């Protein structure tokens, strides 16, 4: 059985490397020309937490066509690419297959379900960290969990990930974890992108720390108004703990800004704003952060 990993960025390469290293045939589908070329030439290269680098052979397809039929697909592209990916998967995901999204942001699972149907889309969340060193070469920056929502067709996916060394848990309420991560991302990602600093620096700057806390509290209020119970009691404590535990990490949004590529601001702070409006909340701090990062994206 070959697994389709959709994406060629940091997490896509990390998961592809670990799964290929566990002996699973892996095919990567992507649209980044430099990344595809590097993967074809060298395989996917991973700098592990212990400082050693290994290369793993993978098959590679570009976004022009998705050839073959796959029973399992792991979706790890940016949120703004999800609609395109959903159309591609419609042509190569088996009728009884399953696409698992571990993406950042809000709305990805709905976009995939609109094209593939709910029976073929599963939701998960990961706190594992990685960053791109160069095309096709990524560094594993932090071990984390892979939390999978219960789904009638997800049998076997958890075992594959466990065999690849990931910490896997099955949960009954993936929306809780999705919103839990969204609250954290809405507070950390835009500020690190705007200030161009690693996560931990937000704790060292009093104004940045206050904004981070306010953004997290606002997003948590939106979640509460929607009836979603977050996986932690205090959003300010939670976001500070994440910033501390990932102090040296560069957020994915900062990495996007430094590369000059579009960010996921619409699926993170933009989602907080849109969902807030549905329940009568304005989320002004998230709105300001959204506008400022959109200003970076426009360049």
């Amino acid at each position: 059985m070959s697994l389709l990993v959709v994406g060629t960025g940091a997490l896509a390469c990390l998961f592809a490397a670990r799964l290929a290293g566990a002996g699973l045939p892996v095919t990567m589908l992507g649209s980044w020309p430099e990344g595809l070329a590097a993967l074809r030439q060298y395989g996917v290269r991973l700098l592990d937490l212990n400082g050693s680098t290994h290369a793993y052979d993978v098959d590679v397809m570009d976004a022009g066509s998705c050839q073959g039929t796959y029973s399992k697909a792991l979706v790890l592209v940016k949120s703004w690419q999800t609609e395109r990916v959903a159309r591609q998967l419609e042509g190569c995901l088996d009728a009884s297959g399953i696409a698992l999204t571990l993406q950042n942001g809000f709305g990805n699972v709905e976009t995939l379900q609109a094209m593939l149907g709910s029976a073929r889309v599963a939701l998960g969340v990961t706190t594992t960290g990685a960053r791109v060193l160069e095309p096709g070469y990524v560094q594993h920056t932090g071990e984390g969990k892979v939390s999978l929502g219960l789904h009638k067709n997800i049998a076997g996916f958890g075992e594959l990930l466990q065999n690849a060394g990931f910490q896997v848990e099955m949960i009954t309420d993936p929306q809780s974890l999705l919103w839990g991560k969204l609250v954290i991302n809405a507070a950390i990602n835009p500020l690190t992108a705007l200030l161009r600093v690693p996560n931990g620096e937000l704790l060292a700057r009093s104004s940045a720390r206050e904004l981070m806390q306010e953004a997290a509290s606002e997003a948590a209020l939106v979640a509460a108004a929607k009836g979603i119970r977050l996986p932690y009691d205090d959003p300010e404590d939670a976001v500070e703990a994440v910033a501390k535990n990932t102090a040296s990490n560069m957020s994915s949004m900062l990495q996007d800004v430094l590369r000059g590529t579009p960010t996921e601001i619409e699926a993170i702070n933009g989602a907080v704003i849109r969902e807030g409006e549905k329940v009568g909340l304005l989320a002004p701090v998230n709105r300001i952060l959204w506008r400022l990062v959109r200003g970076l994206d426009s360049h």
Side-chain angles (χ1 to χ4, degrees), residues 69-70 93-98 116 119-120 153:
T69 303
Y70 298 86
L93 186 67
D94 189 88
S96 59
I98 188 78
L116 303 174
R120 294 201 291 168
N153 294 327

Side-chain angles (χ1 to χ4, degrees), residues 3 72-74 98-100 148 154-162:
L3 173 72
K72 288 181 172 59
L74 183 58
I98 188 78
L100 169 65
L148 305 180
I154 204 170
F157 229 133
E159 289 81 358
L160 292 179
L161 293 170
Q162 283 181 325

Side-chain angles (χ1 to χ4, degrees), residues 176-187:
S176 172
L177 284 183
L178 181 66
W179 269 90
K181 187 174 182 181
L182 181 66
V183 168
I184 301 298
N185 284 344

Side-chain angles (χ1 to χ4, degrees), residues 77-83 101 103-111 175 178-179 181-187 189-190 219 252-253 256 262-275 286 289-290 293-294 297:
V77 297
K78 298 294 185 180
S79 294
W80 52 270
Q81 298 173 308
T82 305
E83 185 174 354
T101 169
Q103 298 163 274
N104 280 335
F106 185 82
N108 295 301
V109 67
E110 291 82 3
T111 299
Q175 287 293 332
L178 181 66
W179 269 90
K181 187 174 182 181
L182 181 66
V183 168
I184 301 298
N185 284 344
N189 286 20
S252 59
M253 194 171 291
D256 290 338
T263 71
E264 295 182 291
I265 193 67
E266 290 293 344
I268 298 176
N269 299 81
V272 172
I273 295 165
R274 292 188 296 274
E275 295 303 308
N286 279 270
L289 295 174
W290 168 70
V293 176
R294 284 186 67 192
D297 275 350

Side-chain angles (χ1 to χ4, degrees), residues 59-269:
D59 291 325
V60 181
M61 292 189 297
D62 63 39
S65 62
C66 187
Q67 301 171 351
T69 303
Y70 298 86
S71 61
K72 288 181 172 59
L74 183 58
V75 182
L76 285 165
V77 297
K78 298 294 185 180
S79 294
W80 52 270
Q81 298 173 308
T82 305
E83 185 174 354
R84 169 180 58 78
V85 162
R87 292 194 298 269
Q88 292 172 322
L89 285 174
E90 188 180 28
C92 63
L93 186 67
D94 189 88
S96 59
I98 188 78
L100 169 65
T101 169
L102 296 178
Q103 298 163 274
N104 280 335
F106 185 82
N108 295 301
V109 67
E110 291 82 3
T111 299
L112 290 166
Q113 287 176 340
M115 186 68 66
L116 303 174
S118 59
R120 294 201 291 168
V121 179
L123 172 62
V125 178
T126 183
T127 55
T128 299
R131 68 185 182 100
V132 174
L133 298 176
E134 58 185 65
Y137 182 27
V138 301
Q139 178 182 10
H140 187 191
T141 57
E143 197 67 75
K145 288 183 179 180
V146 179
S147 303
L148 305 180
L150 294 177
H151 189 285
K152 64 179 182 180
N153 294 327
I154 204 170
F157 229 133
E159 289 81 358
L160 292 179
L161 293 170
Q162 283 181 325
N163 291 339
F166 292 101
Q167 300 176 34
V168 179
E169 64 177 1
M170 301 300 297
I171 55 173
T172 57
D173 185 11
Q175 287 293 332
S176 172
L177 284 183
L178 181 66
W179 269 90
K181 187 174 182 181
L182 181 66
V183 168
I184 301 298
N185 284 344
I188 290 178
N189 286 20
L191 281 169
T192 56
L194 291 163
L195 297 173
R196 304 199 177 199
V197 297
N199 295 357
E201 185 64 20
L202 299 180
L203 298 173
R205 304 185 183 191
S206 58
S207 294
R209 187 172 190 166
E210 290 170 5
L211 275 173
M212 179 178 68
Q213 293 171 338
E214 290 171 7
S217 293
E218 274 188 0
L221 285 174
V222 172
K226 289 176 61 66
I228 294 168
R229 184 171 182 176
L230 297 177
Y232 39 76
D233 294 327
D234 189 318
E236 293 186 10
D237 287 347
V239 74
E240 289 205 357
V242 171
K244 180 180 179 180
N245 293 336
T246 62
S248 62
N249 288 1
M250 292 193 301
S251 72
S252 59
M253 194 171 291
L254 173 57
Q255 293 181 55
D256 290 338
V257 168
L258 293 176
R259 287 197 302 266
T261 57
T263 71
E264 295 182 291
I265 193 67
E266 290 293 344
I268 298 176
N269 299 81

